[in-house]
Amino acid sequence: MTATLERPPVTVVPPASSRRRLRRNDSAGGLTYVLLALTAFVFLVPFYYMIVAASRPMAEMNQTPPPLLPGPDLWSNVVKAIESQDIGLALMNSTIVSGVITVSTVLLCTLAGFAFAKMRFRGRGVLFAVALGTMMIPPSLGVVPLYALMADLGLAGELSSVILPSLVAAFGVFFMRQYLIQTLPDELLDAAKVDGATSLRTFWSIVLPIARPGMAVLAMLTFMTAWNDFFWPVITLNSSNPTVQVALNNLGSGYVPDTSVIMAGTLVGTLPVIVVFLLLGRQIVGGIIAGAVKG
């Protein structure tokens, strides 16, 4: 009888030069931090100046050079903005419009993106080409017939006239299609078919959990677009039922607009977008990383 000796596992330790090279590749250099700081500074300066302008009288902001520190009049300017225009109603209307458009766009675009990415049906390429072709048409070309349609339906001046044309977006369909092509393995769909799952069951149990980061990115982009939309709401809505952008436009339509009050109203209208970004920021980063790396 011969005894066999078990060899201990061999641990391969990379050379010191390789470890140093890996550490250098993983760690960001000083130039990277400088560029990131400069980029953050460029994006934060306008927001900071908006706070300064909203917290000081207009006479001080017209001085040369203008003040660079916030003043004590922020709350009073916010109150003036709310008294000049119904900012509360505008915020509620923008929340309803942006929320409904975001939920509808994310759900419908994910469904359509899943169909174009993983399902085989006749005319798929033609339908996708038509959807992409609508992105090349300037929105201004469709304003007159769209307004005439909303007037015929009796929706002119109502929030539904802003919501209905934006329930789905061609960009969202394209985005979710590309995202699901990269992140959704065909093996999972085949396993679901073997288990007898229907298409809707597969979408609900398999596609949605995988598509969640991409849906968060699309939700953020859609919410910001709907919230900041001015062109179509200012045409179809009136001053008695405005969104935030329409209210801000009315706020600056006086003979001598008070820039401090306008900036205070703009600051109030910007806060919901910041809150949405803070809530979805982690999912957005995950979606961008998942969409950039093809597994």
Short mmCIF file of all heavy atoms in Angstrom, two decimals, residues 122-151:
data_model
loop_
_atom_site.label_atom_id
_atom_site.label_comp_id
_atom_site.label_asym_id
_atom_site.label_seq_id
_atom_site.Cartn_x
_atom_site.Cartn_y
_atom_site.Cartn_z
N ARG A 122 -42.90 39.22 -37.52
CA ARG A 122 -42.83 39.75 -38.88
C ARG A 122 -42.93 41.28 -38.86
O ARG A 122 -43.79 41.85 -38.18
CB ARG A 122 -43.97 39.17 -39.72
CG ARG A 122 -43.94 39.54 -41.19
CD ARG A 122 -45.01 38.80 -41.95
NE ARG A 122 -44.81 37.35 -41.84
CZ ARG A 122 -45.66 36.46 -42.35
NH1 ARG A 122 -46.76 36.86 -42.97
NH2 ARG A 122 -45.39 35.16 -42.21
N GLY A 123 -42.06 41.92 -39.61
CA GLY A 123 -42.06 43.38 -39.69
C GLY A 123 -41.33 44.07 -38.56
O GLY A 123 -41.49 45.28 -38.39
N ARG A 124 -40.55 43.32 -37.78
CA ARG A 124 -39.87 43.92 -36.63
C ARG A 124 -38.90 45.01 -37.07
O ARG A 124 -38.88 46.10 -36.50
CB ARG A 124 -39.12 42.84 -35.85
CG ARG A 124 -38.46 43.36 -34.58
CD ARG A 124 -37.68 42.28 -33.89
NE ARG A 124 -36.54 41.82 -34.70
CZ ARG A 124 -35.53 41.10 -34.21
NH1 ARG A 124 -35.54 40.73 -32.94
NH2 ARG A 124 -34.54 40.72 -34.99
N GLY A 125 -38.09 44.74 -38.09
CA GLY A 125 -37.12 45.73 -38.55
C GLY A 125 -37.77 46.97 -39.10
O GLY A 125 -37.30 48.10 -38.86
N VAL A 126 -38.88 46.80 -39.84
CA VAL A 126 -39.57 47.96 -40.42
C VAL A 126 -40.18 48.82 -39.32
O VAL A 126 -40.07 50.07 -39.34
CB VAL A 126 -40.65 47.49 -41.41
CG1 VAL A 126 -41.46 48.68 -41.93
CG2 VAL A 126 -40.02 46.73 -42.56
N LEU A 127 -40.83 48.20 -38.35
CA LEU A 127 -41.43 48.95 -37.26
C LEU A 127 -40.37 49.70 -36.45
O LEU A 127 -40.58 50.86 -36.06
CB LEU A 127 -42.23 48.01 -36.35
CG LEU A 127 -43.51 47.43 -36.94
CD1 LEU A 127 -44.13 46.44 -35.96
CD2 LEU A 127 -44.50 48.54 -37.27
N PHE A 128 -39.24 49.06 -36.21
CA PHE A 128 -38.19 49.73 -35.45
C PHE A 128 -37.61 50.89 -36.25
O PHE A 128 -37.30 51.94 -35.69
CB PHE A 128 -37.09 48.73 -35.10
CG PHE A 128 -36.04 49.28 -34.19
CD1 PHE A 128 -36.33 49.63 -32.89
CD2 PHE A 128 -34.74 49.46 -34.66
CE1 PHE A 128 -35.36 50.15 -32.04
CE2 PHE A 128 -33.76 49.97 -33.82
CZ PHE A 128 -34.07 50.32 -32.52
N ALA A 129 -37.47 50.73 -37.56
CA ALA A 129 -36.97 51.82 -38.40
C ALA A 129 -37.95 53.00 -38.41
O ALA A 129 -37.54 54.17 -38.37
CB ALA A 129 -36.72 51.32 -39.82
N VAL A 130 -39.25 52.71 -38.43
CA VAL A 130 -40.25 53.78 -38.38
C VAL A 130 -40.18 54.52 -37.04
O VAL A 130 -40.26 55.76 -36.98
CB VAL A 130 -41.66 53.20 -38.61
CG1 VAL A 130 -42.73 54.25 -38.34
CG2 VAL A 130 -41.78 52.69 -40.03
N ALA A 131 -40.00 53.75 -35.95
CA ALA A 131 -39.89 54.38 -34.63
C ALA A 131 -38.67 55.29 -34.56
O ALA A 131 -38.75 56.41 -34.04
CB ALA A 131 -39.82 53.31 -33.54
N LEU A 132 -37.55 54.84 -35.10
CA LEU A 132 -36.36 55.69 -35.12
C LEU A 132 -36.54 56.88 -36.04
O LEU A 132 -36.01 57.97 -35.78
CB LEU A 132 -35.14 54.88 -35.55
CG LEU A 132 -34.63 53.81 -34.59
CD1 LEU A 132 -33.37 53.16 -35.14
CD2 LEU A 132 -34.35 54.41 -33.21
N GLY A 133 -37.28 56.69 -37.13
CA GLY A 133 -37.49 57.80 -38.05
C GLY A 133 -38.26 58.95 -37.44
O GLY A 133 -38.06 60.12 -37.83
N THR A 134 -39.14 58.66 -36.47
CA THR A 134 -39.88 59.75 -35.82
C THR A 134 -38.96 60.66 -35.01
O THR A 134 -39.32 61.81 -34.75
CB THR A 134 -40.96 59.17 -34.91
OG1 THR A 134 -40.35 58.34 -33.90
CG2 THR A 134 -41.95 58.33 -35.69
N MET A 135 -37.78 60.16 -34.62
CA MET A 135 -36.84 61.00 -33.88
C MET A 135 -36.24 62.08 -34.77
O MET A 135 -35.71 63.07 -34.26
CB MET A 135 -35.73 60.14 -33.27
CG MET A 135 -36.21 59.11 -32.28
SD MET A 135 -34.90 57.99 -31.74
CE MET A 135 -33.73 59.14 -31.04
N MET A 136 -36.28 61.91 -36.07
CA MET A 136 -35.68 62.86 -36.99
C MET A 136 -36.63 63.99 -37.39
O MET A 136 -36.23 64.90 -38.11
CB MET A 136 -35.19 62.13 -38.25
CG MET A 136 -34.24 60.99 -37.96
SD MET A 136 -33.75 60.09 -39.45
CE MET A 136 -32.81 58.74 -38.72
N ILE A 137 -37.89 63.92 -36.97
CA ILE A 137 -38.87 64.95 -37.30
C ILE A 137 -38.83 66.03 -36.23
O ILE A 137 -39.03 65.74 -35.05
CB ILE A 137 -40.28 64.35 -37.40
CG1 ILE A 137 -40.31 63.25 -38.46
CG2 ILE A 137 -41.31 65.44 -37.73
CD1 ILE A 137 -41.63 62.52 -38.54
N PRO A 138 -38.59 67.29 -36.58
CA PRO A 138 -38.58 68.36 -35.55
C PRO A 138 -39.94 68.49 -34.88
O PRO A 138 -40.98 68.45 -35.56
CB PRO A 138 -38.25 69.62 -36.37
CG PRO A 138 -37.58 69.12 -37.61
CD PRO A 138 -38.22 67.78 -37.90
N PRO A 139 -39.99 68.60 -33.55
CA PRO A 139 -41.29 68.70 -32.87
C PRO A 139 -42.12 69.90 -33.32
O PRO A 139 -43.35 69.85 -33.27
CB PRO A 139 -40.89 68.82 -31.39
CG PRO A 139 -39.51 68.23 -31.31
CD PRO A 139 -38.86 68.56 -32.61
N SER A 140 -41.47 70.97 -33.75
CA SER A 140 -42.22 72.17 -34.15
C SER A 140 -43.11 71.93 -35.36
O SER A 140 -44.11 72.63 -35.56
CB SER A 140 -41.25 73.32 -34.44
OG SER A 140 -40.30 72.94 -35.42
N LEU A 141 -42.76 70.94 -36.21
CA LEU A 141 -43.57 70.66 -37.40
C LEU A 141 -44.94 70.09 -37.04
O LEU A 141 -45.88 70.22 -37.83
CB LEU A 141 -42.83 69.69 -38.33
CG LEU A 141 -41.54 70.20 -38.97
CD1 LEU A 141 -40.94 69.14 -39.88
CD2 LEU A 141 -41.80 71.48 -39.76
N GLY A 142 -45.03 69.45 -35.90
CA GLY A 142 -46.30 68.83 -35.53
C GLY A 142 -47.14 69.64 -34.56
O GLY A 142 -48.17 69.14 -34.09
N VAL A 143 -46.75 70.87 -34.28
CA VAL A 143 -47.47 71.66 -33.27
C VAL A 143 -48.87 72.03 -33.75
O VAL A 143 -49.86 71.86 -33.02
CB VAL A 143 -46.66 72.92 -32.92
CG1 VAL A 143 -47.50 73.88 -32.10
CG2 VAL A 143 -45.42 72.55 -32.14
N VAL A 144 -48.99 72.51 -34.97
CA VAL A 144 -50.30 72.97 -35.46
C VAL A 144 -51.30 71.81 -35.55
O VAL A 144 -52.41 71.90 -35.00
CB VAL A 144 -50.14 73.69 -36.81
CG1 VAL A 144 -51.51 74.05 -37.39
CG2 VAL A 144 -49.30 74.95 -36.64
N PRO A 145 -50.97 70.70 -36.23
CA PRO A 145 -51.95 69.59 -36.25
C PRO A 145 -52.21 68.98 -34.87
O PRO A 145 -53.33 68.55 -34.59
CB PRO A 145 -51.32 68.57 -37.20
CG PRO A 145 -49.88 68.91 -37.26
CD PRO A 145 -49.81 70.38 -37.07
N LEU A 146 -51.18 68.98 -34.01
CA LEU A 146 -51.39 68.43 -32.67
C LEU A 146 -52.33 69.30 -31.86
O LEU A 146 -53.22 68.80 -31.17
CB LEU A 146 -50.04 68.28 -31.96
CG LEU A 146 -50.07 67.66 -30.56
CD1 LEU A 146 -50.66 66.26 -30.61
CD2 LEU A 146 -48.67 67.62 -29.96
N TYR A 147 -52.16 70.61 -31.96
CA TYR A 147 -53.06 71.52 -31.23
C TYR A 147 -54.48 71.43 -31.78
O TYR A 147 -55.46 71.45 -31.03
CB TYR A 147 -52.57 72.95 -31.30
CG TYR A 147 -53.38 73.91 -30.48
CD1 TYR A 147 -53.16 74.04 -29.11
CD2 TYR A 147 -54.41 74.66 -31.05
CE1 TYR A 147 -53.93 74.90 -28.33
CE2 TYR A 147 -55.18 75.52 -30.30
CZ TYR A 147 -54.93 75.64 -28.93
OH TYR A 147 -55.69 76.48 -28.16
N ALA A 148 -54.60 71.30 -33.12
CA ALA A 148 -55.93 71.15 -33.71
C ALA A 148 -56.59 69.87 -33.23
O ALA A 148 -57.81 69.84 -32.95
CB ALA A 148 -55.82 71.16 -35.24
N LEU A 149 -55.82 68.79 -33.11
CA LEU A 149 -56.36 67.53 -32.62
C LEU A 149 -56.83 67.67 -31.17
O LEU A 149 -57.92 67.19 -30.82
CB LEU A 149 -55.30 66.44 -32.74
CG LEU A 149 -55.66 65.05 -32.19
CD1 LEU A 149 -56.86 64.48 -32.93
CD2 LEU A 149 -54.47 64.10 -32.28
N MET A 150 -56.02 68.31 -30.33
CA MET A 150 -56.40 68.48 -28.94
C MET A 150 -57.62 69.38 -28.80
O MET A 150 -58.48 69.15 -27.93
CB MET A 150 -55.22 69.07 -28.14
CG MET A 150 -54.05 68.12 -28.02
SD MET A 150 -54.52 66.57 -27.22
CE MET A 150 -53.18 65.50 -27.72
N ALA A 151 -57.73 70.39 -29.67
CA ALA A 151 -58.91 71.25 -29.64
C ALA A 151 -60.16 70.49 -30.06
O ALA A 151 -61.24 70.65 -29.47
CB ALA A 151 -58.69 72.47 -30.53
#
